Amino acid sequence: MNYYLWPALFILISVVVGLVRILRGPTAADRMMAAQLFGTGGVAILLILAQAMQMPSLVDVALIYALLAAITMVVFVRCQWRSHENTGEMEDESH
Amino acid sequence: MENSLNLAAVTFDGVLALVLLVLAWQLLRSPNLFKAIVLFISFGLMLSLAWVRLKAVDIALAEAAIGAGLTGALFLTALDRLQRNNQKAGDSLISQPGKVIAGISVLALTCILGWTVWTLPPFSNQMLALVSSNMPISGVENPVTAVLLNFRGYDTLLEIGVLLLAAVGVLAVTPSAVMVADSAPSPILILLLRLLLPFIILVSGYILWIGKYAPGGAFQAGAVLAAGGILLATAAVRFNLSASKALPLATGIGLLIFLLVALATMMLRGNYLQYPVAQAGTLILVIEAAATLSIAAVLVLLFVGLKSDADCPVPGEDSKNFIFEEENTIK
Amino acid sequence: MSLTDLFGSFLLLLAIPFFWGGSLGLLRFPDIYTRLHALTKADNLGLGLVVAGSILISKEWTVGVKLILIWLAVLTASTISCYLIANAARKRKINPWKIP
Amino acid sequence: MTIPLLYALVGVVLLGMGLYSLVMYSHLVRKILALNVSGAGVFLFLVAAADRTSGPLPDPVPHAMVLTGIVVAVSATALALALTCRIHQVSGTTQLTDNEPD
């Protein structure tokens, strides 16, 4: 059953490659996107581990991940929205 | 699956351990606070993979709910308020010799700890044997919930009290109790809320219920509910903390019910927090439901308390366009 | 190894290049909009394949329903955050990358 | 060299890194991050120690303690962040410099 760990390993490596974008990413939004890549990759790894380690309760962990992935992003965009406010963009904000 | 040293497991854990160390190292080293926080969020996500590999699924559930939902939101809100006037994350104020001494002493501590870990005596299974022998009378099947709510119920009672203290602390520090969001939420955000919120509440109830048989329970369910609450709070345009009666009341409910049950058991059966075996399961569920509510309320209160300190933005100040400009991190 | 296990593992293996594509896209693409493409499309498809593979391997329908719910949740989460970022970027007049 | 031992050593190294940067950097948010990282290291060590049982099931008692520890750590972090914001609001700096007469 452990041979399922190989795909989990490769997806983990692809997620780690996203780490470079966090370190290098010029803008804050790039960094936030890479963090979301960690989230989606994490869900995939969890699903494979659920089969590899024969623990069906891991699917609940993946379910929580999937649900809450959007929250950090929403807080980031809503929270950093304020600094956009200061630069007095002409367009109307709420559309 | 005993810890067989087959190649796939070793490489997976090796890579995961390396990722944890590199993330932690980069996160602690970076003077750019936003980058440090994003690295910390990714560190939390990778950490819950480590919990899964160590067969600690309850903790992975809690880490996922808190890491993905709460820590990022708390740090980003605090950062947004701290960096209003571009306060840079200055470097250390410690003199050069001080740094060397600190470095050597921490290194020595780590080596000593590493050596003790390496030479730990073989595992004595008394606690595990004790717990599994008493499982039938605990009223639940999941050993972690049994330990949390039954065998060490007093510890969890005090822990919910600690959460309440944190909420009181944050409220005491919040000058303006009115959280004013800066702009109307975009319709897409409202769509996200309409789609996700009922689902989050459903999953929170499911996690609470599953806690009796499989990994789950009050803390994980409370954290998931709190994450839903935070999603709601970020979309809200205005939230008056002092006017809202529900939130402060809900924070107390968990401790209150736990205390009532504890006193009731003391009255009926003579000793504190010893549930009658027949009703142990239902009593635990009642306590867990109340604890879920109060944990969720406390965590949402912490977030709203942090966010509502936000004084309104000073117009005209040329604070750089934070999201999309090249960050000039000082070296 | 029954046939469904075989096919399930094949789907899992098929998902790996999508994740790799998504990550490399995130690294190599020149501006925000293209990186958003890489992030949202490639990873969601990779996750879809992983979900399909896991459903085949796990063989229980209860787990299967939960897996499909997970995939739908990730889809909504990433599409909406992708919109939020792209909208914020456009508002800041980040013009898309042009071939120099 | 079993899997739990590997994670226990990672936990110890995380604790060392956290302590070092807690001492080293003066910005309060960096200190809070350092505390969280060393806390995660301690938890990792505890759970790794719990996984050394002979049978398939790990020992649930450290799991229960670490579970409550994680929830308390989050609320402690929130309180620390609230205090940092308050210090920033009152004194304008986010570093506790002792030589500054208030």
Side-chain angles (χ1 to χ4, degrees):
Chain A
M1 229 3 130
N2 262 338
Y3 44 79
Y4 281 132
L5 276 174
W6 289 112
L9 179 64
F10 288 120
I11 294 181
L12 182 66
I13 292 171
S14 82
V15 160
V16 168
V17 167
L19 171 66
V20 174
R21 174 51 65 192
I22 293 187
L23 300 179
R24 209 157 38 104
T27 58
D30 293 317
R31 297 203 168 101
M32 216 45 203
M33 275 196 285
Q36 211 202 343
L37 169 72
F38 270 79
T40 323
V43 170
I45 294 172
L46 276 170
L47 291 182
I48 298 176
L49 281 182
Q51 307 307 332
M53 298 168 75
Q54 292 298 318
M55 296 164 96
S57 52
L58 293 189
V59 176
D60 296 342
V61 184
L63 182 61
I64 291 190
Y65 256 129
L67 271 176
L68 306 185
I71 288 182
T72 318
M73 190 64 83
V74 164
V75 169
F76 163 69
V77 173
R78 284 287 290 173
C79 195
Q80 306 300 346
W81 204 274
R82 173 163 303 121
S83 61
H84 157 73
E85 197 83 38
N86 296 350
T87 50
E89 298 288 337
M90 286 67 62
E91 282 147 52
D92 167 33
E93 190 61 51
S94 54
H95 44 74
Chain B
M1 187 194 87
E2 83 300 345
N3 310 316
S4 67
L5 281 189
N6 55 30
L7 191 59
V10 170
T11 33
F12 185 83
D13 291 314
V15 169
L16 188 55
L18 203 67
V19 165
L20 283 173
L21 289 178
V22 167
L23 274 175
W25 181 57
Q26 286 295 342
L27 130 80
L28 295 171
R29 197 173 62 80
S30 112
N32 175 346
L33 277 186
F34 182 82
K35 182 163 112 175
I37 288 172
V38 173
L39 283 168
F40 183 65
I41 295 170
S42 322
F43 178 76
L45 298 179
M46 287 301 119
L47 194 58
S48 67
L49 288 185
W51 300 136
V52 165
R53 283 299 294 163
L54 285 168
K55 302 202 278 292
V57 184
D58 286 80
I59 303 176
L61 273 169
E63 184 79 39
I66 286 178
L70 284 152
T71 354
L74 288 175
F75 272 109
L76 286 175
T77 317
L79 182 67
D80 174 56
R81 289 193 28 239
L82 288 180
Q83 291 212 321
R84 178 109 343 97
N85 48 17
N86 302 336
Q87 163 78 36
K88 264 291 163 257
D91 244 332
S92 77
L93 303 173
I94 300 176
S95 62
Q96 188 54 26
K99 280 189 191 174
V100 171
I101 295 169
I104 292 172
S105 44
V106 164
L107 200 63
L109 174 71
T110 319
C111 295
I112 293 167
L113 279 180
W115 183 73
T116 41
V117 161
W118 191 272
T119 57
L120 270 179
F123 194 80
S124 65
N125 288 12
Q126 295 126 351
M127 262 201 287
L128 178 60
L130 212 59
V131 167
S132 28
S133 63
N134 291 331
M135 277 307 281
I137 60 163
S138 72
V140 286
E141 274 114 47
N142 176 12
V144 177
T145 316
V147 170
L148 263 181
L149 267 304
N150 196 335
F151 305 147
R152 289 180 55 83
Y154 187 58
D155 176 40
T156 313
L157 172 71
L158 295 182
E159 197 259 328
I160 296 178
V162 163
L163 278 178
L164 209 56
L165 281 182
V168 167
V170 168
L171 277 184
V173 164
T174 316
S176 70
V178 176
M179 182 193 87
V180 178
D182 24 75
S183 59
S186 69
I188 294 288
L189 195 53
I190 304 292
L191 169 70
L192 178 73
L193 272 180
R194 202 172 292 131
L195 280 177
L196 273 190
L197 267 188
F199 202 15
I200 285 181
I201 294 170
L202 186 69
V203 164
S204 175
Y206 161 73
I207 298 278
L208 172 65
W209 174 256
I210 199 87
K212 280 181 75 165
Y213 314 101
F219 296 105
Q220 297 91 336
V224 171
L225 210 56
I230 284 178
L231 197 61
L232 202 60
T234 44
V237 180
R238 184 179 157 66
F239 184 88
N240 190 340
L241 210 53
S242 47
S244 87
K245 287 286 169 287
L247 208 53
L249 264 181
T251 51
I253 198 92
L255 192 59
L256 183 69
I257 296 223
F258 212 144
L259 273 177
L260 286 182
V261 169
L263 293 179
T265 49
M266 195 162 75
M267 241 62 84
L268 298 178
R269 296 180 53 82
N271 33 30
Y272 190 67
L273 266 183
Q274 202 205 337
Y275 312 130
V277 177
Q279 299 89 5
T282 41
L283 272 179
I284 285 183
L285 196 62
V286 164
I287 294 174
E288 280 210 301
T292 305
L293 259 180
S294 76
I295 289 168
V298 163
L299 295 175
V300 169
L301 205 85
L302 293 178
F303 176 76
V304 170
L306 207 56
K307 196 161 170 49
S308 70
D309 238 356
D311 33 28
C312 50
V314 178
E317 184 206 344
D318 58 354
S319 88
K320 66 173 177 24
N321 199 330
F322 182 75
I323 295 189
F324 292 100
E325 223 99 79
E326 187 91 29
E327 269 94 0
N328 35 39
T329 56
I330 48 160
K331 278 296 161 293
Chain C
M1 264 282 268
S2 71
L3 193 62
T4 48
D5 277 359
L6 204 65
F7 194 57
S9 348
F10 170 69
L11 282 179
L12 289 186
L13 291 179
L14 201 62
I16 296 174
F18 285 97
F19 276 102
W20 273 95
S23 303
L24 289 183
L26 193 67
L27 287 188
R28 299 275 303 154
F29 280 155
D31 77 341
I32 285 191
Y33 304 104
T34 41
R35 284 187 205 129
L36 275 173
H37 277 293
L39 183 68
T40 348
K41 293 191 176 59
D43 279 4
N44 282 340
L45 202 51
L47 189 63
L49 286 171
V50 167
V51 162
S54 311
I55 290 175
L56 280 177
I57 297 169
S58 70
K59 298 189 192 56
E60 290 147 28
W61 69 273
T62 48
V63 178
V65 165
K66 225 188 276 185
L67 288 170
I68 292 176
L69 283 181
I70 288 175
W71 191 46
L72 292 180
V74 170
L75 276 185
T76 25
S78 52
T79 35
I80 286 179
S81 24
C82 166
Y83 165 80
L84 287 175
I85 292 250
N87 186 27
R90 205 191 53 72
K91 245 192 234 320
R92 280 158 186 73
K93 314 266 176 313
I94 308 264
N95 18 42
W97 177 76
K98 298 243 175 341
I99 302 168
Chain D
M1 186 57 190
T2 60
I3 305 284
L5 190 61
L6 170 71
Y7 282 112
L9 289 178
V10 167
V12 165
V13 173
L14 285 179
L15 176 68
M17 275 201 257
L19 280 184
Y20 178 76
S21 42
L22 178 69
V23 166
M24 204 43 65
Y25 302 114
S26 60
H27 194 287
L28 283 177
V29 174
R30 291 182 78 171
K31 282 188 190 292
I32 296 172
L33 280 172
L35 264 179
N36 277 328
V37 167
S38 37
V42 171
F43 291 155
L44 205 54
F45 168 69
L46 259 175
V47 175
D51 192 25
R52 299 181 309 142
T53 54
S54 44
L57 277 180
D59 176 7
V61 177
H63 286 201
M65 277 187 260
V66 168
L67 185 59
T68 42
I70 286 179
V71 177
V72 169
V74 167
S75 42
T77 310
L79 184 59
L81 285 173
L83 291 175
T84 313
C85 295
R86 186 76 182 130
I87 291 170
H88 174 67
Q89 206 162 4
V90 167
S91 72
T93 74
T94 54
Q95 294 164 8
L96 298 179
T97 50
D98 40 24
N99 43 34
E100 201 183 334
D102 257 359

